[in-house]
Amino acid sequence: MRFSPIAATTAALLLTACNFVAAPEGKAEAPAEAAATPQAAPLTASGAPVALTAAEAEDGLQWAAGVVRVDQVPGESAKLFGVAGGDPAMNGLQTYIAFFQNPNDGWVVYPIGDFLDYTVLSHANGRIDLDIHESDYNEATGHIGDRHRKVIVQWTQGANDEVPTAVTVTPAQ
């Protein structure tokens, strides 16, 4: 992937705009997370520090470091997860659903799409309803806009509680 100063600047501006909330008059702005979550008092060291060594740069660990969101599917051995990637000006949350097979075989992973974000609206056995927030590109004007759309992610449990062999994504209202 090539470094793009324009894409990096656009992403930084978008992230800055999304992370701050308006502060009461006369007060400095604070990140939205800080406004919603009270901070605990800083800890005081009570022993000698232990130096860490960087982990080996293997592909799996590098890919795992890119995971920016995980949503467990209640009642299922499944999870939705998003990995940062792509062009941050156009979506960038590579979203997947994964089903756990067993400790030897790990996960079966299905790609759902490339979005800005998603919201889980509801879930039931073999189904998740999502509200997708994504960028769209208007070729006529050259402008990037955004839209919301809803989808149903559905699967049929495999025989003997095995992982699904097919997953579908259906447009919804």
Side-chain angles (χ1 to χ4, degrees):
M1 181 188 326
R2 289 185 339 176
F3 173 76
S4 168
I6 294 172
T9 302
T10 302
L13 290 172
L14 288 172
L15 288 173
T16 301
C18 293
N19 287 335
F20 286 86
V21 295
E25 197 169 318
K27 304 247 179 169
E29 288 186 356
E33 298 87 341
T37 307
Q39 292 257 334
L43 299 175
T44 303
S46 63
V50 175
L52 301 177
T53 304
E56 291 293 321
E58 64 177 60
D59 286 342
L61 193 54
Q62 289 294 316
W63 195 77
V67 173
V68 294
R69 178 164 183 185
V70 177
D71 293 286
Q72 297 296 325
V73 180
E76 305 271 354
S77 59
K79 61 183 166 185
L80 289 169
F81 68 97
V83 179
D87 182 352
M90 281 291 294
N91 300 312
L93 182 64
Q94 305 291 328
T95 305
Y96 301 87
I97 187 165
F99 301 89
F100 188 70
Q101 297 181 90
N102 58 57
N104 290 332
D105 297 320
W107 297 84
V108 175
V109 179
Y110 292 88
I112 295 175
D114 182 13
F115 314 121
L116 286 171
D117 200 7
Y118 64 85
T119 301
V120 177
L121 299 173
S122 65
H123 58 83
N125 289 341
R127 174 183 171 144
I128 301 173
D129 295 348
L130 299 176
D131 178 29
I132 305 294
H133 182 203
E134 63 190 340
S135 299
D136 65 349
Y137 180 70
N138 183 328
E139 290 188 32
T141 64
H143 290 100
I144 297 173
D146 64 20
R147 67 178 177 171
H148 281 268
R149 63 184 174 98
K150 294 180 171 109
V151 300
I152 300 166
V153 179
Q154 199 162 12
W155 62 93
T156 302
Q157 190 64 43
N160 301 319
D161 287 330
E162 292 178 6
V163 298
T165 55
V167 175
T168 60
V169 175
T170 307
Q173 296 182 12

